[in-house]
Short mmCIF file of all heavy atoms in Angstrom, two decimals:
data_model
loop_
_atom_site.label_atom_id
_atom_site.label_comp_id
_atom_site.label_asym_id
_atom_site.label_seq_id
_atom_site.Cartn_x
_atom_site.Cartn_y
_atom_site.Cartn_z
N MET A 730 -68.17 19.03 5.99
CA MET A 730 -67.95 19.89 7.05
C MET A 730 -69.17 20.80 7.32
O MET A 730 -69.82 21.24 6.34
CB MET A 730 -66.68 20.75 6.81
CG MET A 730 -66.17 21.48 7.90
SD MET A 730 -64.59 22.25 7.71
CE MET A 730 -63.51 20.92 7.30
N LYS A 731 -69.55 20.99 8.53
CA LYS A 731 -70.64 21.81 8.96
C LYS A 731 -70.14 23.21 9.04
O LYS A 731 -69.08 23.66 9.20
CB LYS A 731 -71.21 21.33 10.32
CG LYS A 731 -71.76 20.00 10.44
CD LYS A 731 -72.21 19.65 11.74
CE LYS A 731 -72.51 18.29 11.86
NZ LYS A 731 -72.75 17.79 13.43
N ILE A 732 -71.23 24.14 8.79
CA ILE A 732 -71.00 25.58 8.88
C ILE A 732 -71.87 26.19 10.00
O ILE A 732 -73.09 25.97 9.86
CB ILE A 732 -71.29 26.37 7.51
CG1 ILE A 732 -70.71 25.53 6.42
CG2 ILE A 732 -70.84 27.73 7.70
CD1 ILE A 732 -69.05 25.65 6.43
N THR A 733 -71.40 26.99 10.96
CA THR A 733 -72.25 27.52 11.84
C THR A 733 -72.87 28.95 11.41
O THR A 733 -72.31 29.49 10.39
CB THR A 733 -71.45 27.95 13.21
OG1 THR A 733 -70.56 28.89 12.86
CG2 THR A 733 -70.77 26.76 13.88
N ASN A 734 -73.89 29.26 11.96
CA ASN A 734 -74.54 30.50 11.57
C ASN A 734 -73.59 31.65 11.77
O ASN A 734 -73.49 32.66 11.05
CB ASN A 734 -75.86 30.80 12.49
CG ASN A 734 -76.95 29.86 11.93
OD1 ASN A 734 -77.08 29.30 10.87
ND2 ASN A 734 -77.98 29.70 12.90
N HIS A 735 -72.75 31.51 12.89
CA HIS A 735 -71.79 32.62 13.19
C HIS A 735 -70.69 32.73 12.07
O HIS A 735 -70.49 33.90 11.63
CB HIS A 735 -71.07 32.34 14.48
CG HIS A 735 -70.02 33.30 14.78
ND1 HIS A 735 -70.21 34.53 15.38
CD2 HIS A 735 -68.62 33.25 14.61
CE1 HIS A 735 -69.14 35.25 15.64
NE2 HIS A 735 -68.17 34.50 15.12
N ALA A 736 -70.30 31.64 11.53
CA ALA A 736 -69.40 31.62 10.36
C ALA A 736 -69.99 32.25 9.24
O ALA A 736 -69.40 33.09 8.44
CB ALA A 736 -68.84 30.22 10.09
N THR A 737 -71.18 31.93 9.04
CA THR A 737 -71.91 32.42 7.73
C THR A 737 -71.93 34.00 7.84
O THR A 737 -71.85 34.68 6.87
CB THR A 737 -73.35 31.86 7.74
OG1 THR A 737 -73.24 30.36 7.64
CG2 THR A 737 -74.11 32.36 6.38
N GLU A 738 -72.56 34.41 9.15
CA GLU A 738 -72.50 35.88 9.28
C GLU A 738 -71.21 36.53 9.13
O GLU A 738 -71.11 37.55 8.43
CB GLU A 738 -73.05 36.18 10.69
CG GLU A 738 -73.31 37.59 10.99
CD GLU A 738 -73.98 37.83 12.40
OE1 GLU A 738 -74.06 36.84 13.20
OE2 GLU A 738 -74.37 38.99 12.73
N ARG A 739 -70.18 36.02 9.54
CA ARG A 739 -68.71 36.59 9.50
C ARG A 739 -68.37 36.58 7.90
O ARG A 739 -67.66 37.50 7.43
CB ARG A 739 -67.73 35.86 10.32
CG ARG A 739 -68.09 36.03 11.82
CD ARG A 739 -67.88 37.43 12.14
NE ARG A 739 -68.32 37.76 13.55
CZ ARG A 739 -69.30 38.39 14.04
NH1 ARG A 739 -70.22 38.86 13.04
NH2 ARG A 739 -69.59 38.45 15.25
N PHE A 740 -68.69 35.56 7.36
CA PHE A 740 -68.34 35.50 5.86
C PHE A 740 -69.05 36.62 5.15
O PHE A 740 -68.48 37.37 4.30
CB PHE A 740 -68.77 34.23 5.26
CG PHE A 740 -68.45 33.89 3.81
CD1 PHE A 740 -67.17 33.53 3.47
CD2 PHE A 740 -69.40 34.27 2.83
CE1 PHE A 740 -66.79 33.39 2.09
CE2 PHE A 740 -68.99 34.14 1.44
CZ PHE A 740 -67.75 33.68 0.99
N LEU A 741 -70.41 36.93 5.41
CA LEU A 741 -71.03 37.95 4.71
C LEU A 741 -70.42 39.26 5.10
O LEU A 741 -70.25 40.21 4.25
CB LEU A 741 -72.54 37.96 5.25
CG LEU A 741 -73.40 36.93 4.49
CD1 LEU A 741 -74.74 36.74 5.39
CD2 LEU A 741 -73.78 37.32 3.09
N GLN A 742 -70.07 39.45 6.38
CA GLN A 742 -69.49 40.71 6.83
C GLN A 742 -68.12 40.96 6.36
O GLN A 742 -67.74 41.95 5.89
CB GLN A 742 -69.60 40.88 8.34
CG GLN A 742 -71.00 40.91 8.90
CD GLN A 742 -71.06 40.66 10.46
OE1 GLN A 742 -69.98 40.43 11.01
NE2 GLN A 742 -72.16 41.03 11.03
N ARG A 743 -67.14 40.08 6.54
CA ARG A 743 -65.82 40.21 6.24
C ARG A 743 -65.39 40.03 4.74
O ARG A 743 -64.57 40.69 4.22
CB ARG A 743 -65.03 39.30 7.15
CG ARG A 743 -65.10 39.73 8.57
CD ARG A 743 -64.44 38.79 9.67
NE ARG A 743 -64.68 39.27 11.00
CZ ARG A 743 -64.63 38.50 11.98
NH1 ARG A 743 -64.27 37.28 11.90
NH2 ARG A 743 -64.77 39.09 13.22
N VAL A 744 -66.09 38.96 4.17
CA VAL A 744 -65.63 38.61 2.82
C VAL A 744 -66.39 39.41 1.77
O VAL A 744 -65.93 40.05 0.94
CB VAL A 744 -65.68 37.29 2.51
CG1 VAL A 744 -65.39 36.81 1.13
CG2 VAL A 744 -64.91 36.35 3.51
N LYS A 745 -67.73 39.41 1.90
CA LYS A 745 -68.67 40.07 1.05
C LYS A 745 -68.98 41.49 1.39
O LYS A 745 -69.62 42.13 0.59
CB LYS A 745 -70.00 39.24 0.91
CG LYS A 745 -70.00 37.90 0.50
CD LYS A 745 -69.52 37.72 -0.91
CE LYS A 745 -69.59 36.21 -1.34
NZ LYS A 745 -69.39 36.25 -2.79
N LYS A 746 -68.46 41.99 2.57
CA LYS A 746 -68.74 43.30 3.02
C LYS A 746 -70.29 43.74 3.15
O LYS A 746 -70.67 44.85 2.80
CB LYS A 746 -67.97 44.35 2.07
CG LYS A 746 -66.49 44.02 2.02
CD LYS A 746 -65.79 44.31 3.18
CE LYS A 746 -64.28 44.34 3.03
NZ LYS A 746 -63.53 43.91 4.29
N ARG A 747 -70.95 42.71 3.43
CA ARG A 747 -72.53 42.93 3.56
C ARG A 747 -72.81 42.94 5.11
O ARG A 747 -72.59 42.06 5.69
CB ARG A 747 -73.23 41.69 2.84
CG ARG A 747 -73.04 41.54 1.44
CD ARG A 747 -73.70 42.81 0.59
NE ARG A 747 -75.14 42.96 0.89
CZ ARG A 747 -76.11 42.18 0.47
NH1 ARG A 747 -75.94 41.50 -0.56
NH2 ARG A 747 -77.31 42.66 0.74
N TYR A 748 -73.43 43.86 5.55
CA TYR A 748 -73.78 44.04 6.93
C TYR A 748 -75.33 44.17 7.10
O TYR A 748 -75.74 43.82 8.13
CB TYR A 748 -73.26 45.40 7.59
CG TYR A 748 -71.77 45.38 7.61
CD1 TYR A 748 -70.96 45.99 6.51
CD2 TYR A 748 -70.94 44.77 8.46
CE1 TYR A 748 -69.63 45.89 6.41
CE2 TYR A 748 -69.55 44.56 8.49
CZ TYR A 748 -68.96 45.20 7.41
OH TYR A 748 -67.54 45.09 7.43
N ASN A 749 -76.14 44.36 6.00
CA ASN A 749 -77.57 44.15 6.04
C ASN A 749 -77.80 43.20 4.97
O ASN A 749 -77.42 43.47 3.74
CB ASN A 749 -78.18 45.50 5.81
CG ASN A 749 -77.82 46.42 6.75
OD1 ASN A 749 -78.03 46.19 8.05
ND2 ASN A 749 -77.39 47.75 6.33
N TYR A 750 -78.39 42.08 5.23
CA TYR A 750 -78.89 41.05 4.36
C TYR A 750 -80.16 40.51 4.71
O TYR A 750 -80.60 40.50 6.04
CB TYR A 750 -77.69 40.02 4.31
CG TYR A 750 -77.13 39.70 5.64
CD1 TYR A 750 -77.85 38.71 6.49
CD2 TYR A 750 -76.04 40.27 6.19
CE1 TYR A 750 -77.27 38.41 7.72
CE2 TYR A 750 -75.52 39.95 7.31
CZ TYR A 750 -76.18 38.92 8.15
OH TYR A 750 -75.80 38.57 9.48
N THR A 751 -80.72 39.83 3.80
CA THR A 751 -82.07 39.31 4.04
C THR A 751 -81.84 37.81 4.52
O THR A 751 -80.71 37.21 4.40
CB THR A 751 -82.88 39.17 2.76
OG1 THR A 751 -82.27 38.38 1.79
CG2 THR A 751 -83.19 40.55 2.19
N LYS A 752 -82.84 37.21 5.03
CA LYS A 752 -82.85 35.70 5.52
C LYS A 752 -82.47 34.75 4.28
O LYS A 752 -81.70 33.92 4.47
CB LYS A 752 -84.02 35.29 6.12
CG LYS A 752 -84.05 33.92 6.73
CD LYS A 752 -85.28 33.62 7.36
CE LYS A 752 -85.25 32.16 7.94
NZ LYS A 752 -86.50 31.86 8.73
N ALA A 753 -82.98 35.18 3.13
CA ALA A 753 -82.73 34.24 1.88
C ALA A 753 -81.33 34.51 1.54
O ALA A 753 -80.67 33.40 1.08
CB ALA A 753 -83.74 34.88 0.79
N GLU A 754 -80.78 35.66 1.58
CA GLU A 754 -79.37 35.72 1.33
C GLU A 754 -78.44 34.97 2.30
O GLU A 754 -77.42 34.38 1.90
CB GLU A 754 -78.81 37.25 1.33
CG GLU A 754 -79.41 38.06 0.21
CD GLU A 754 -79.12 39.67 0.44
OE1 GLU A 754 -79.34 40.02 1.51
OE2 GLU A 754 -78.74 40.16 -0.57
N PHE A 755 -78.79 35.02 3.65
CA PHE A 755 -78.18 34.21 4.62
C PHE A 755 -78.13 32.85 4.33
O PHE A 755 -77.18 32.07 4.38
CB PHE A 755 -78.62 34.56 5.98
CG PHE A 755 -78.00 34.02 7.17
CD1 PHE A 755 -76.90 34.58 7.69
CD2 PHE A 755 -78.33 32.70 7.50
CE1 PHE A 755 -76.32 34.02 8.75
CE2 PHE A 755 -77.62 32.13 8.66
CZ PHE A 755 -76.57 32.78 9.38
N VAL A 756 -79.39 32.28 3.99
CA VAL A 756 -79.56 30.91 3.75
C VAL A 756 -78.78 30.49 2.48
O VAL A 756 -78.01 29.40 2.46
CB VAL A 756 -80.95 30.47 3.56
CG1 VAL A 756 -81.28 29.00 3.02
CG2 VAL A 756 -81.79 30.59 4.91
N LYS A 757 -78.77 31.31 1.47
CA LYS A 757 -78.11 30.94 0.22
C LYS A 757 -76.47 30.98 0.63
O LYS A 757 -75.81 30.06 0.08
CB LYS A 757 -78.35 31.96 -0.82
CG LYS A 757 -77.59 31.73 -2.12
CD LYS A 757 -77.86 32.74 -3.24
CE LYS A 757 -77.20 32.52 -4.49
NZ LYS A 757 -75.72 31.98 -4.41
N THR A 758 -76.00 31.98 1.33
CA THR A 758 -74.56 32.04 1.56
C THR A 758 -74.21 30.78 2.36
O THR A 758 -73.08 30.19 2.20
CB THR A 758 -74.25 33.28 2.51
OG1 THR A 758 -74.62 34.38 1.63
CG2 THR A 758 -72.81 33.32 2.73
N LYS A 759 -74.99 30.32 3.41
CA LYS A 759 -74.74 29.15 4.12
C LYS A 759 -74.52 27.94 3.26
O LYS A 759 -73.69 27.09 3.45
CB LYS A 759 -75.71 28.96 5.18
CG LYS A 759 -75.35 27.83 6.30
CD LYS A 759 -76.24 27.83 7.48
CE LYS A 759 -75.64 26.89 8.57
NZ LYS A 759 -76.47 27.03 9.81
N LYS A 760 -75.53 27.78 2.36
CA LYS A 760 -75.43 26.65 1.36
C LYS A 760 -74.23 26.68 0.52
O LYS A 760 -73.51 25.67 0.35
CB LYS A 760 -76.70 26.60 0.51
CG LYS A 760 -77.95 26.14 1.24
CD LYS A 760 -79.15 26.09 0.31
CE LYS A 760 -80.38 25.75 1.12
NZ LYS A 760 -81.62 25.77 0.35
N ASP A 761 -73.81 27.91 0.11
CA ASP A 761 -72.61 28.13 -0.71
C ASP A 761 -71.41 27.71 0.06
O ASP A 761 -70.51 27.13 -0.52
CB ASP A 761 -72.61 29.51 -1.29
CG ASP A 761 -73.61 29.79 -2.24
OD1 ASP A 761 -74.29 28.98 -2.93
OD2 ASP A 761 -73.78 30.99 -2.46
N LEU A 762 -71.33 28.08 1.23
CA LEU A 762 -70.16 27.69 2.04
C LEU A 762 -70.09 26.35 2.33
O LEU A 762 -69.04 25.65 2.33
CB LEU A 762 -70.31 28.41 3.49
CG LEU A 762 -69.99 29.97 3.45
CD1 LEU A 762 -70.21 30.58 4.80
CD2 LEU A 762 -68.44 30.19 3.19
N GLN A 763 -71.34 25.59 2.55
CA GLN A 763 -71.32 24.20 2.76
C GLN A 763 -70.72 23.35 1.47
O GLN A 763 -69.95 22.44 1.61
CB GLN A 763 -72.74 23.55 3.08
CG GLN A 763 -73.16 23.96 4.51
CD GLN A 763 -74.57 23.78 4.78
OE1 GLN A 763 -75.51 23.74 3.88
NE2 GLN A 763 -74.97 23.54 6.09
N ASN A 764 -71.05 23.91 0.24
CA ASN A 764 -70.46 23.42 -0.84
C ASN A 764 -69.18 23.67 -1.04
O ASN A 764 -68.32 22.83 -1.41
CB ASN A 764 -71.27 24.04 -2.16
CG ASN A 764 -72.73 23.41 -2.24
OD1 ASN A 764 -72.87 22.29 -1.93
ND2 ASN A 764 -73.52 24.16 -2.87
N LEU A 765 -68.48 24.87 -0.51
CA LEU A 765 -67.11 25.12 -0.57
C LEU A 765 -66.26 24.05 0.30
O LEU A 765 -65.28 23.76 -0.09
CB LEU A 765 -66.89 26.53 -0.04
CG LEU A 765 -67.07 27.77 -1.14
CD1 LEU A 765 -66.84 28.99 -0.36
CD2 LEU A 765 -66.09 27.54 -2.33
N PHE A 766 -66.84 23.84 1.42
CA PHE A 766 -66.06 23.12 2.31
C PHE A 766 -66.53 21.46 2.51
O PHE A 766 -66.01 20.77 3.28
CB PHE A 766 -66.35 23.64 3.83
CG PHE A 766 -65.64 25.00 3.98
CD1 PHE A 766 -66.30 26.11 3.94
CD2 PHE A 766 -64.24 24.84 4.49
CE1 PHE A 766 -65.64 27.28 4.20
CE2 PHE A 766 -63.67 26.07 4.61
CZ PHE A 766 -64.27 27.30 4.52
N LYS A 767 -67.46 21.11 1.53
CA LYS A 767 -68.05 19.80 1.54
C LYS A 767 -66.98 18.57 1.56
O LYS A 767 -67.17 17.71 2.20
CB LYS A 767 -69.18 19.63 0.59
CG LYS A 767 -68.63 19.48 -0.76
CD LYS A 767 -69.89 19.26 -1.78
CE LYS A 767 -69.34 19.16 -3.19
NZ LYS A 767 -70.43 19.02 -4.11
N ASP A 768 -65.83 18.87 0.73
CA ASP A 768 -64.90 17.76 0.57
C ASP A 768 -63.67 17.87 1.47
O ASP A 768 -62.64 17.05 1.24
CB ASP A 768 -64.60 17.64 -0.95
CG ASP A 768 -65.67 17.24 -1.81
OD1 ASP A 768 -66.62 16.45 -1.37
OD2 ASP A 768 -65.69 17.71 -2.95
N ILE A 769 -63.70 18.78 2.34
CA ILE A 769 -62.54 19.05 3.15
C ILE A 769 -62.65 18.33 4.37
O ILE A 769 -63.64 18.44 5.23
CB ILE A 769 -62.31 20.49 3.52
CG1 ILE A 769 -62.07 21.23 2.12
CG2 ILE A 769 -61.13 20.88 4.44
CD1 ILE A 769 -62.04 22.77 2.21
N ILE A 770 -61.65 17.49 4.80
CA ILE A 770 -61.44 16.82 6.07
C ILE A 770 -60.18 17.19 6.69
O ILE A 770 -59.09 16.97 5.88
CB ILE A 770 -61.65 15.22 5.96
CG1 ILE A 770 -63.07 14.95 5.47
CG2 ILE A 770 -61.41 14.59 7.39
CD1 ILE A 770 -63.11 13.51 5.05
N THR A 771 -60.07 17.76 7.82
CA THR A 771 -58.85 18.27 8.38
C THR A 771 -58.81 18.08 9.81
O THR A 771 -59.91 18.18 10.49
CB THR A 771 -58.56 19.62 7.85
OG1 THR A 771 -57.22 20.04 8.35
CG2 THR A 771 -59.61 20.67 8.39
N ASN A 772 -57.55 18.01 10.43
CA ASN A 772 -57.50 18.12 11.98
C ASN A 772 -56.83 19.47 12.24
O ASN A 772 -56.37 19.65 13.40
CB ASN A 772 -56.70 16.86 12.46
CG ASN A 772 -55.32 16.89 11.85
OD1 ASN A 772 -55.00 17.56 11.03
ND2 ASN A 772 -54.44 16.02 12.36
N ARG A 773 -56.65 20.31 11.41
CA ARG A 773 -56.12 21.62 11.54
C ARG A 773 -57.08 22.60 12.25
O ARG A 773 -58.47 22.35 12.05
CB ARG A 773 -55.66 22.37 10.41
CG ARG A 773 -54.48 21.61 9.69
CD ARG A 773 -53.97 22.37 8.44
NE ARG A 773 -52.72 22.06 8.01
CZ ARG A 773 -51.89 22.68 7.41
NH1 ARG A 773 -52.36 23.96 6.96
NH2 ARG A 773 -50.69 22.26 7.21
N THR A 774 -56.69 23.70 12.88
CA THR A 774 -57.67 24.59 13.58
C THR A 774 -57.95 25.66 12.64
O THR A 774 -59.00 26.35 12.71
CB THR A 774 -57.21 25.21 14.89
OG1 THR A 774 -55.80 25.67 14.72
CG2 THR A 774 -57.04 23.90 15.87
N LYS A 775 -57.10 26.02 11.67
CA LYS A 775 -57.42 27.17 10.67
C LYS A 775 -57.04 26.63 9.29
O LYS A 775 -55.97 25.98 9.16
CB LYS A 775 -56.45 28.38 10.96
CG LYS A 775 -56.90 29.14 12.03
CD LYS A 775 -56.12 30.51 12.14
CE LYS A 775 -56.42 31.42 13.33
NZ LYS A 775 -55.65 32.51 13.38
N ILE A 776 -57.85 26.90 8.31
CA ILE A 776 -57.57 26.58 6.96
C ILE A 776 -57.99 27.70 6.01
O ILE A 776 -58.84 28.62 6.54
CB ILE A 776 -58.32 25.23 6.49
CG1 ILE A 776 -59.92 25.48 6.63
CG2 ILE A 776 -57.90 24.07 7.24
CD1 ILE A 776 -60.71 24.27 6.03
N VAL A 777 -57.43 27.82 4.92
CA VAL A 777 -57.81 28.89 3.84
C VAL A 777 -59.20 28.60 3.35
O VAL A 777 -59.47 27.48 3.03
CB VAL A 777 -56.66 28.93 2.77
CG1 VAL A 777 -57.19 29.96 1.74
CG2 VAL A 777 -55.33 29.29 3.42
N VAL A 778 -59.92 29.70 3.22
CA VAL A 778 -61.26 29.50 2.68
C VAL A 778 -61.17 29.34 1.22
O VAL A 778 -60.50 30.14 0.50
CB VAL A 778 -62.16 30.82 2.94
CG1 VAL A 778 -63.53 30.70 2.33
CG2 VAL A 778 -62.29 31.08 4.52
N PRO A 779 -61.64 28.18 0.72
CA PRO A 779 -61.38 27.85 -0.86
C PRO A 779 -62.03 29.03 -1.58
O PRO A 779 -63.03 29.46 -1.58
CB PRO A 779 -62.29 26.60 -0.93
CG PRO A 779 -62.28 25.97 0.34
CD PRO A 779 -62.34 27.13 1.44
N GLY A 780 -61.16 29.45 -2.57
CA GLY A 780 -61.50 30.58 -3.39
C GLY A 780 -61.38 31.97 -2.85
O GLY A 780 -61.53 32.96 -3.59
N PHE A 781 -61.02 32.02 -1.51
CA PHE A 781 -60.78 33.31 -0.84
C PHE A 781 -59.46 33.32 -0.15
O PHE A 781 -59.58 33.14 1.19
CB PHE A 781 -62.02 33.71 -0.09
CG PHE A 781 -63.31 33.64 -0.78
CD1 PHE A 781 -64.18 32.67 -0.80
CD2 PHE A 781 -63.66 34.97 -1.38
CE1 PHE A 781 -65.31 32.67 -1.52
CE2 PHE A 781 -64.93 34.96 -2.04
CZ PHE A 781 -65.68 33.85 -2.17
N SER A 782 -58.35 33.44 -0.84
CA SER A 782 -57.12 33.29 -0.19
C SER A 782 -56.67 34.20 0.84
O SER A 782 -55.85 33.89 1.69
CB SER A 782 -56.11 33.10 -1.19
OG SER A 782 -56.02 34.43 -1.87
N LYS A 783 -57.45 35.26 0.93
CA LYS A 783 -57.05 36.34 1.95
C LYS A 783 -57.78 36.04 3.27
O LYS A 783 -57.72 36.83 4.38
CB LYS A 783 -57.47 37.72 1.47
CG LYS A 783 -56.70 38.24 0.36
CD LYS A 783 -57.01 39.60 -0.07
CE LYS A 783 -56.23 40.09 -1.21
NZ LYS A 783 -56.52 41.32 -1.64
N PHE A 784 -58.68 35.02 3.34
CA PHE A 784 -59.37 34.73 4.54
C PHE A 784 -59.12 33.17 4.97
O PHE A 784 -58.89 32.36 4.24
CB PHE A 784 -60.90 34.87 4.25
CG PHE A 784 -61.18 36.26 3.95
CD1 PHE A 784 -61.24 36.77 2.67
CD2 PHE A 784 -61.57 37.27 4.84
CE1 PHE A 784 -61.46 37.96 2.24
CE2 PHE A 784 -61.82 38.48 4.61
CZ PHE A 784 -61.85 38.93 3.25
N SER A 785 -59.14 33.04 6.35
CA SER A 785 -59.08 31.69 6.92
C SER A 785 -60.36 31.32 7.73
O SER A 785 -61.02 32.28 8.27
CB SER A 785 -57.78 31.51 7.79
OG SER A 785 -57.90 32.44 8.67
N ALA A 786 -60.57 30.06 7.84
CA ALA A 786 -61.68 29.53 8.45
C ALA A 786 -60.99 28.93 9.80
O ALA A 786 -60.08 28.03 9.68
CB ALA A 786 -62.48 28.56 7.71
N VAL A 787 -61.74 29.21 10.88
CA VAL A 787 -61.35 28.52 12.11
C VAL A 787 -62.27 27.24 12.25
O VAL A 787 -63.58 27.33 12.15
CB VAL A 787 -61.67 29.42 13.41
CG1 VAL A 787 -61.20 28.63 14.66
CG2 VAL A 787 -60.69 30.66 13.31
N VAL A 788 -61.63 26.05 12.43
CA VAL A 788 -62.36 24.69 12.28
C VAL A 788 -62.29 24.09 13.75
O VAL A 788 -61.10 24.05 14.31
CB VAL A 788 -61.84 23.82 11.32
CG1 VAL A 788 -62.49 22.59 11.31
CG2 VAL A 788 -61.90 24.61 9.86
N LYS A 789 -63.29 23.52 14.17
CA LYS A 789 -63.29 22.73 15.48
C LYS A 789 -64.33 21.58 15.30
O LYS A 789 -65.42 21.74 15.07
CB LYS A 789 -63.73 23.60 16.66
CG LYS A 789 -63.69 22.95 18.01
CD LYS A 789 -64.00 23.96 19.15
CE LYS A 789 -63.78 23.12 20.44
NZ LYS A 789 -64.02 24.08 21.63
N ASN A 790 -63.83 20.41 15.44
CA ASN A 790 -64.60 19.22 15.35
C ASN A 790 -65.32 19.15 13.99
O ASN A 790 -66.55 18.88 13.85
CB ASN A 790 -65.58 19.09 16.46
CG ASN A 790 -64.97 18.98 17.88
OD1 ASN A 790 -63.90 18.34 17.96
ND2 ASN A 790 -65.59 19.59 18.81
N GLN A 791 -64.58 19.29 12.93
CA GLN A 791 -65.21 19.35 11.60
C GLN A 791 -66.33 20.43 11.27
O GLN A 791 -67.17 20.18 10.50
CB GLN A 791 -65.58 18.00 11.19
CG GLN A 791 -64.43 16.91 11.17
CD GLN A 791 -63.34 17.34 10.00
OE1 GLN A 791 -63.81 17.69 8.84
NE2 GLN A 791 -62.14 17.34 10.37
N THR A 792 -66.26 21.37 12.03
CA THR A 792 -67.34 22.57 11.89
C THR A 792 -66.51 23.88 11.72
O THR A 792 -65.61 24.15 12.63
CB THR A 792 -68.07 22.55 13.18
OG1 THR A 792 -68.73 21.31 13.38
CG2 THR A 792 -69.18 23.69 13.06
N VAL A 793 -66.98 24.56 10.70
CA VAL A 793 -66.38 25.93 10.59
C VAL A 793 -67.12 26.76 11.44
O VAL A 793 -68.28 26.91 11.46
CB VAL A 793 -66.52 26.38 9.08
CG1 VAL A 793 -66.00 27.89 8.99
CG2 VAL A 793 -65.87 25.55 8.15
N ILE A 794 -66.26 27.45 12.44
CA ILE A 794 -66.99 28.36 13.56
C ILE A 794 -66.88 29.80 13.32
O ILE A 794 -67.71 30.58 13.77
CB ILE A 794 -66.45 27.81 15.01
CG1 ILE A 794 -64.98 28.07 15.00
CG2 ILE A 794 -67.01 26.53 15.35
CD1 ILE A 794 -64.42 27.79 16.45
N THR A 795 -65.89 30.19 12.52
CA THR A 795 -65.85 31.69 12.18
C THR A 795 -64.90 31.82 11.01
O THR A 795 -64.07 30.97 10.64
CB THR A 795 -65.32 32.48 13.34
OG1 THR A 795 -65.59 33.88 13.11
CG2 THR A 795 -63.88 32.32 13.64
N ILE A 796 -64.95 32.94 10.44
CA ILE A 796 -64.03 33.32 9.36
C ILE A 796 -63.24 34.62 9.74
O ILE A 796 -63.76 35.57 10.10
CB ILE A 796 -64.87 33.73 8.06
CG1 ILE A 796 -65.89 32.49 7.64
CG2 ILE A 796 -63.99 34.18 6.83
CD1 ILE A 796 -65.22 31.46 7.12
N LEU A 797 -61.89 34.55 9.48
CA LEU A 797 -61.05 35.66 9.89
C LEU A 797 -60.27 36.06 8.62
O LEU A 797 -60.00 35.34 7.73
CB LEU A 797 -60.01 35.17 10.92
CG LEU A 797 -60.58 34.62 12.27
CD1 LEU A 797 -59.38 34.01 12.98
CD2 LEU A 797 -61.33 35.69 13.00
N GLU A 798 -59.90 37.34 8.71
CA GLU A 798 -59.07 37.88 7.51
C GLU A 798 -57.71 37.54 8.06
O GLU A 798 -57.29 37.66 9.20
CB GLU A 798 -59.29 39.46 7.57
CG GLU A 798 -58.64 40.02 6.30
CD GLU A 798 -59.17 41.47 6.09
OE1 GLU A 798 -60.00 41.91 6.69
OE2 GLU A 798 -58.60 42.05 5.17
N LYS A 799 -56.85 37.14 7.12
CA LYS A 799 -55.33 36.81 7.39
C LYS A 799 -54.50 38.00 7.78
O LYS A 799 -54.81 39.15 7.33
CB LYS A 799 -54.72 36.11 6.15
CG LYS A 799 -55.16 34.62 5.90
CD LYS A 799 -54.41 34.16 4.80
CE LYS A 799 -54.61 32.77 4.48
NZ LYS A 799 -53.91 32.27 3.46
#
């Protein structure tokens, strides 16, 4: 599953509570998210973020487009 830059930014802000981050932190977070979602195939529009049950991911065309708090 693909991860958008927007989803990565929202993950940092909403899950990690990081509003100021370096480019390296952003890239590492995006890779971590890709690993979390790599084996998931779904036709749902919202799924729980693996390992973070208080957050859901909005999915469109097998791409995570944002992260929301439940």
Side-chain angles (χ1 to χ4, degrees):
M730 192 172 294
K731 296 177 188 173
I732 311 294
T733 64
N734 288 341
H735 179 79
T737 304
E738 185 175 7
R739 294 298 174 249
F740 183 84
L741 282 164
Q742 293 171 348
R743 295 177 178 157
V744 178
K745 298 292 187 177
K746 305 291 187 207
R747 299 287 311 268
Y748 298 95
N749 297 312
Y750 43 83
T751 65
K752 184 176 180 180
E754 289 172 320
F755 184 88
V756 170
K757 181 185 182 318
T758 300
K759 188 167 186 174
K760 286 180 185 178
D761 291 344
L762 285 172
Q763 287 171 334
N764 284 333
L765 279 178
F766 287 98
K767 72 178 177 182
D768 295 329
I769 297 175
I770 298 173
T771 185
N772 61 353
R773 292 179 162 207
T774 56
K775 282 188 179 179
I776 59 173
V777 174
V778 177
F781 301 93
S782 61
K783 293 181 180 180
F784 297 90
S785 59
V787 178
V788 179
K789 185 174 182 180
N790 298 327
Q791 294 298 313
T792 301
V793 177
I794 57 174
T795 194
I796 305 291
L797 301 172
E798 195 166 354
K799 284 186 177 179

